Amino acid sequence: MNDDYATLQLTEDGQLRNFISIRGLPKSILEQILDTAASFVDVGGRDIKNVPLLRGKTVVNLFFEPSTRTRSTFELAAKRLSADVLNIDIARSATSKGESLMDMLRNLEAMASDMFVVRHADSGAPHYIARHATPNVAIINAGDGRHAHPTQAMLDMYTIRHYKGGFEGLTVAIVGDILHSRVARSQIYALRTLGAKEIRVVGPKTLIPTAIESMGVNVFTHLEEGIKDADVIIALRLQKERMDSALLPSESEFFDQYGLTNERLKVAHPEAIVMHPGPINRGVEIASEVADGPRAVILHQVTFGIAVRMAVMSMSMGGREAERNAARRQQEAQHVR
Ligand code: ASP
């Protein structure tokens, strides 16, 4: 499976061609994403907020699940790369008239689309599309079921590297609903690949997947123990839309035991930063005093997200182009012979 993710995501000479999962990607690619993003961060501050890297390319946003931040930052990222962007409103599209997903994708492909940014409630949907539906279109996963949210994880890595200078020696605590979180899964793969010292998951037993230790994390069910001396604390939203109500007593009970408050954060490293992928639920997983306080870097995550998405899009388009050129050269060589 790991090999499958590697071949699906990388060209023969190791460049990014799809971005579906952190799993299967080497440290060098993750670092290239972070470094490329760094070169894009100031584009948003310029008078003319774009660069021509995706000029003439068509990016289609296919969001089968609701999203605010991810959808709009992908759109901005594509526009800042000078691409033409098409947002398909799934609720109003012909899939609601019974057209199959495959048929819709093939039609979009026939319109000479170069990239699909896909969010879907089913784990594995972007993988399936890349493998079976439209192999000539670059697929970027914008969150699939409980499985993965790789651009979120990379913008989180960017934020951590920005504030902490790197990953070596860092203790990172991920707090809350780990069980339903595609964000947590992608963060764990990324933190491991980039070499964080210790990754902790913290939450009630019912919201922690069994055998998650095999991913190289330490499990804590007591909040203060889990965030003690941590350099980075990532709060997660309770994913109620994916939850069987039996799993959770009540939001106020959750806040009593796992909500991040200034008082509780006293046990963390004095310079610890607090992150959250959004949307935040104030008074459930995080108190307003923390969300709006000096440790929180939540809005910076959003800003960095545009640069990271620009990096992923431009790298996968570059990989695709290199692949096409290599195929063309091979064809020409065969012709000459
Ligand atoms: N925005 C993130 C996601 O789509 C986190 C969340 O929804 O809680 O997974």
Side-chain angles (χ1 to χ4, degrees):
M1 196 63 167
N2 223 353
D3 275 359
D4 185 38
Y5 275 114
T7 49
L8 195 59
Q9 298 193 94
L10 298 173
T11 63
E12 267 177 26
D13 60 354
Q15 297 186 55
L16 196 67
R17 58 194 297 282
N18 290 312
F19 193 56
I20 310 235
S21 164
I22 303 285
R23 192 171 160 193
L25 294 179
K27 187 176 182 185
S28 57
I29 286 280
L30 302 194
E31 286 176 338
Q32 191 189 349
I33 293 172
L34 298 179
D35 293 342
T36 309
S39 73
F40 290 137
V41 155
D42 73 341
V43 173
R46 295 186 197 157
D47 282 346
I48 296 176
K49 294 185 178 50
N50 56 33
V51 291
L53 289 169
L54 256 61
R55 182 173 292 159
K57 304 288 182 198
T58 303
V59 174
V60 184
N61 267 331
L62 284 166
F63 278 63
F64 295 86
E65 246 196 356
S67 167
T68 316
R69 264 157 301 273
T70 306
R71 206 197 62 76
S72 47
T73 52
F74 262 114
E75 183 174 350
L76 273 178
K79 286 181 169 161
R80 288 189 186 167
L81 290 166
S82 310
D84 295 321
V85 186
L86 204 61
N87 293 307
I88 305 289
D89 183 346
I90 303 294
R92 287 166 195 260
S93 75
T95 39
S96 63
K97 295 185 188 166
E99 184 183 35
S100 77
L101 173 63
M102 279 299 227
D103 285 331
M104 181 182 81
L105 293 171
R106 287 188 178 137
N107 276 272
L108 289 167
E109 193 180 24
M111 296 173 204
S113 302
D114 298 287
M115 181 179 286
F116 292 159
V117 177
V118 182
R119 165 163 296 192
H120 204 285
D122 294 340
S123 299
H127 183 281
Y128 182 84
I129 294 168
R131 170 75 68 220
H132 302 287
T134 53
N136 297 321
V137 178
I139 306 297
I140 310 291
N141 183 1
D144 63 326
R146 298 184 191 188
H147 170 240
H149 197 348
T151 57
Q152 175 71 48
M154 289 314 293
L155 75 87
D156 296 332
M157 296 308 114
Y158 189 95
T159 309
I160 293 173
R161 195 175 79 163
H162 177 84
Y163 284 98
K164 298 291 163 193
F167 298 90
E168 232 173 84
L170 283 192
T171 298
V172 180
I174 308 172
V175 182
D177 181 3
I178 313 293
L179 182 65
H180 304 96
S181 178
R182 52 194 175 207
V183 175
R185 255 169 277 274
S186 289
Q187 287 168 337
I188 292 168
Y189 281 119
L191 287 164
R192 267 187 52 188
T193 306
L194 290 166
K197 185 182 87 182
E198 186 184 356
I199 309 165
R200 302 175 183 169
V201 295
V202 188
K205 244 197 190 108
T206 48
L207 294 181
I208 294 187
T210 46
I212 194 168
E213 290 90 343
S214 65
M215 289 182 81
V217 302
N218 294 325
V219 174
F220 292 82
T221 52
H222 187 270
L223 179 69
E224 274 92 337
E225 282 169 19
I227 63 173
K228 189 166 184 320
D229 300 324
D231 302 285
V232 177
I233 297 157
I234 304 173
L236 298 174
R237 181 178 68 88
L238 290 176
Q239 311 262 308
K240 280 175 280 181
E241 71 276 27
R242 300 186 213 288
M243 210 177 277
D244 176 350
S245 58
L247 288 177
L248 189 73
S250 75
E251 288 184 352
S252 64
E253 243 172 296
F254 182 83
F255 185 73
D256 287 346
Q257 285 190 50
Y258 296 99
L260 294 181
T261 60
N262 281 341
E263 182 55 32
R264 288 194 163 134
L265 284 169
K266 283 184 181 156
V267 298
H269 187 284
E271 279 165 26
I273 55 169
V274 174
M275 298 169 51
H276 193 304
I280 62 171
N281 284 317
R282 292 167 185 264
V284 181
E285 67 268 359
I286 191 164
S288 281
E289 62 182 15
V290 176
D292 303 327
R295 291 174 187 275
V297 296
I298 299 169
L299 295 177
H300 297 284
Q301 289 173 258
V302 178
T303 308
F304 294 146
I306 301 171
V308 167
R309 290 178 171 132
M310 287 171 79
V312 168
M313 289 171 135
S314 58
M315 282 169 61
S316 57
M317 206 52 92
R320 290 266 169 179
E321 225 130 77
E323 207 168 42
R324 267 195 294 273
N325 290 340
R328 203 170 301 133
R329 274 197 300 276
Q330 208 174 12
Q331 250 176 8
E332 279 166 10
Q334 270 166 2
H335 205 69
V336 169
R337 238 182 273 147

